[in-house]
Amino acid sequence: MAAKDERTPLAPAASDASASRKDLWKTLGFGFTTILCSVGLINFNSYLMADGRFPYAAPLVLMHMAFCSTFALVLRFLQPSLYPALTDPHKRVPIDADFLLRGVLPIGAVFSASLVLTNLAYNKLSVAFLQMLKECNIILVYAFSLIATLEMFSWRHVQVIFFAMVAASLTITGELNFVWDGFCIQVSSMVCECLRIVLQSVLLSGTKLDA
């Protein structure tokens, strides 16, 4: 009987390990699916933006956002638990005019500008080169985060950013079909994208929308 009592506490530990492995595989699955969808979307947008197909950046982004909004609303009604900040009485966040105008609207504006500019850049430069340029987003995100006091200055971070700048300069030098117009458009898109990331972090730091 004593031996049975000694073995009993091991059962919850085994159950926790099994749940942990399940969560790990679920996270890996979500990550792989996100990467797969992102790669597919980037290449499909590049394909559509070619002359003779659908080279209209703003209408393309408008259709993307309309579809995403519709899909989100469908999920909102079919699976409310995915939106605890809107449906859970204990985690609900008040959505008022001030929150929408000062929090959501600026994020939506810079996000829309980022998507439109990125699609325009597909007409000027190769997808591979544009993706390499996007790796420099860490530089802008860190700079904007310092301004918004979301990060503390660190020389280690400066060293990482310096190496990222060197790597980006090597890709620019090696690009066979470099176009200044496309480069400027992509840099503008990156600025908008990084502003969105920082503004979203500022917004989420004061609310529980990511719950």
Side-chain angles (χ1 to χ4, degrees):
M1 187 70 179
K4 182 178 180 181
D5 292 337
E6 291 175 358
R7 289 195 299 269
T8 302
L10 297 178
S15 177
D16 291 343
S18 176
S20 178
R21 284 195 298 269
K22 185 181 295 184
D23 290 340
L24 174 62
W25 283 110
K26 182 185 294 186
T27 302
L28 291 175
F30 284 144
F32 178 77
T33 304
T34 301
I35 293 172
L36 190 64
C37 292
S38 178
V39 171
L41 179 62
I42 289 169
N43 285 279
F44 187 62
N45 280 353
S46 177
Y47 171 81
L48 289 178
M49 286 299 297
D51 293 334
R53 294 192 180 98
F54 194 81
Y56 308 105
L60 183 60
V61 170
L62 180 61
M63 287 188 286
H64 281 323
M65 290 193 165
F67 175 80
C68 290
S69 298
T70 303
F71 187 63
L73 286 174
V74 171
L75 281 180
R76 163 68 174 78
F77 288 104
L78 294 181
Q79 196 70 27
S81 61
L82 294 175
Y83 304 87
L86 300 176
T87 60
D88 192 326
H90 303 291
K91 299 179 180 179
R92 183 175 298 170
V93 175
I95 307 296
D96 52 20
D98 183 69
F99 176 80
L100 293 175
L101 293 177
R102 299 180 59 182
V104 177
L105 184 60
I107 295 174
V110 292
F111 187 36
S112 301
S114 171
L115 294 177
V116 171
L117 291 170
T118 296
N119 286 340
L120 287 175
Y122 287 142
N123 273 335
K124 307 288 185 179
L125 297 167
S126 66
V127 173
F129 178 63
L130 293 176
Q131 293 307 115
M132 288 299 297
L133 282 181
K134 287 182 180 180
E135 297 302 318
C136 295
N137 279 359
I138 59 172
I139 303 172
L140 295 173
V141 169
Y142 183 62
F144 292 151
S145 297
L146 288 177
I147 295 174
T149 65
L150 294 175
E151 293 284 348
M152 298 293 292
F153 180 80
S154 169
W155 283 110
R156 179 60 60 86
H157 293 162
V158 173
Q159 292 173 1
V160 173
I161 288 173
F162 174 76
F163 285 117
M165 293 176 62
V166 171
S169 65
L170 293 176
T171 62
I172 293 172
T173 304
E175 174 64 18
L176 297 177
N177 300 311
F178 181 79
V179 180
W180 271 107
D181 289 350
F183 178 75
C184 293
I185 291 172
Q186 181 59 29
V187 170
S188 300
S189 171
M190 290 162 55
V191 170
C192 292
E193 173 67 12
C194 295
L195 277 174
R196 178 193 69 82
I197 293 173
V198 174
L199 288 175
Q200 188 169 304
S201 297
V202 172
L203 180 65
L204 293 180
S205 66
T207 60
K208 295 298 182 181
L209 281 174
D210 57 343

